């Protein structure tokens, strides 16, 4: 029970096959009360109900600062504290550099990078009052290797920005005992990648990975649990690769 009686907020968490929901499910198993934030069409309340009693789903848009603040206010009204934030919300687009429009750029950067900032800003005051907390930011191996399998260069830029933001927050907030760390998943089999790769292409990619398989959502969930819990109490500002060895260098 690594998170007994702690409150964890997970953005983009309502997709049943996604990283956020897998993380929520594992955190519930370790005693956490979980709040799933997502857009209305994702029905976060229904997703939270699947976790069992005592958990909450809130409609929120991480690109809207007021929406983030309203969501955090509701969490505090229900649970009086926030111990963990997982900045998981993100979108991707398969674009070549010259094909990225202003609208494409804004859409991807707003969710992954602006959303990480706005949600972190919203929870930090509560964590400061508590003198502690853990913020986990989901980046991507594409931020490190200069491009991924599915996302365009603007996705890599957004996820690289997440790494820089997380490190800067870690440096600033350490005095408040707030830890900020990042995870860089490789190719994880979720709804985002579903139907976009043939079985042959998946096999080719797996052959290039030292662990010889694509990742599962639960692989990332385990890393989130580690960074959220006291097992990582002396870790801040780190980037934890969860990619089967794809980025050994």
């Amino acid at each position: 029970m690594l998170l007994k009686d702690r409150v964890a907020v997970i953005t983009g968490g309502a997709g049943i096959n996604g990283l956020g929901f897998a993380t929520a499910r594992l955190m519930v198993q370790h005693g956490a009360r979980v709040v799933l934030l997502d857009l209305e069409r994702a029905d976060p309340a229904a997703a939270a109900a699947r976790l069992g009693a005592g958990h909450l789903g809130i409609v929120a848009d991480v690109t809207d600062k007021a929406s983030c603040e309203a969501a955090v206010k509701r969490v505090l009204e229900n649970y009086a504290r926030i111990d963990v934030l997982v900045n998981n919300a993100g979108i991707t687009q398969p674009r070549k550099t010259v094909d990225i429009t202003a609208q494409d750029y804004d859409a991807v950067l707003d969710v992954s990078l602006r959303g990480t900032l706005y949600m972190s800003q919203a929870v930090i005051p509560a964590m400061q009052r508590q003198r502690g907390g853990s913020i986990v930011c989901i980046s991507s191996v594409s931020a490190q290797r200069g491009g991924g399998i599915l996302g365009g260069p603007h996705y890599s830029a957004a996820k690289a920005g997440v790494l820089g933001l997380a490190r800067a927050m870690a440096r600033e907030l350490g005095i408040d005992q707030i830890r900020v760390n990042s995870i860089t998943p490789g190719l994880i089999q979720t709804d985002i990648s579903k139907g976009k790769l043939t079985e042959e292409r998946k096999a080719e990619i797996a052959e290039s990975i030292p662990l010889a398989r694509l990742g599962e959502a639960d692989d990332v969930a385990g890393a989130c649990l580690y960074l959220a819990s006291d097992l990582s109490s002396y870790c801040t500002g780190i980037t934890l690769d969860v990619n089967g060895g794809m980025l050994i260098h």
Side-chain angles (χ1 to χ4, degrees):
M1 301 291 279
L2 294 173
L3 298 178
K4 183 174 172 54
D5 297 328
R6 298 187 192 182
V7 177
V9 176
I10 302 173
T11 69
I16 302 305
N17 298 313
L19 305 183
F21 192 78
T23 298
R25 192 169 53 230
L26 184 58
M27 288 185 172
V28 167
Q29 291 172 13
H30 281 269
R33 287 167 291 176
V34 171
V35 182
L36 300 177
L37 305 188
D38 217 318
L39 298 175
E40 184 174 8
R41 63 176 178 267
D43 200 351
R50 295 180 67 142
L51 297 172
H55 309 292
L56 187 62
I58 300 175
V59 172
D61 180 352
V62 297
T63 70
D64 184 319
K65 188 174 177 66
S67 181
C68 295
E69 291 172 346
V72 166
K73 180 181 179 183
R74 188 172 166 195
V75 175
L76 293 173
E77 288 171 351
N78 277 267
Y79 302 114
R81 62 185 298 111
I82 297 173
D83 301 285
V84 178
L85 168 65
V86 180
N87 283 309
N88 170 69
I91 61 172
T92 187
Q93 295 171 334
R95 301 281 192 276
K96 299 293 186 182
T97 301
V98 297
D99 297 326
I100 298 169
T101 67
Q103 291 76 20
D104 292 337
Y105 184 86
D106 288 345
V108 171
L109 270 288
D110 275 359
V111 179
S112 287
L113 189 50
R114 188 189 300 270
T116 293
L117 174 64
Y118 282 172
M119 274 307 305
S120 298
Q121 287 177 323
V123 304
I124 284 168
M127 290 183 174
Q128 287 175 321
R129 290 191 296 270
Q130 296 162 196
R131 296 290 300 162
S134 174
I135 298 175
V136 181
C137 300
I138 304 298
S139 179
S140 169
V141 69
S142 70
Q144 301 157 303
R145 67 190 293 270
I149 306 298
L150 300 174
H154 54 331
Y155 177 75
S156 296
K159 291 302 191 179
V162 168
L163 295 181
L165 176 61
R167 289 170 185 152
M169 290 195 297
R171 194 178 295 276
E172 175 186 332
L173 298 170
I175 193 68
D176 297 306
Q177 301 304 303
I178 299 170
R179 299 182 297 108
V180 188
N181 295 291
S182 299
I183 295 173
T184 47
L187 183 57
I188 309 297
Q189 299 190 89
T190 65
D191 287 341
I192 289 178
S193 61
K194 188 175 181 181
K196 295 182 172 65
L197 297 170
T198 65
E199 292 304 313
E200 291 77 11
R201 179 60 179 140
K202 288 180 183 179
E204 290 174 3
I205 296 168
E207 285 179 4
S208 70
I209 298 173
L211 288 183
R213 67 173 178 87
L214 304 187
E216 303 290 344
D218 286 343
D219 295 322
V220 179
C224 288
L225 176 64
Y226 168 70
L227 292 176
S229 76
D230 291 341
L231 292 177
S232 60
S233 61
Y234 202 51
C235 295
T236 197
I238 73 167
T239 299
L240 181 58
D241 289 350
V242 184
N243 53 45
M246 180 185 289
L247 199 73
I248 291 173
H249 59 84

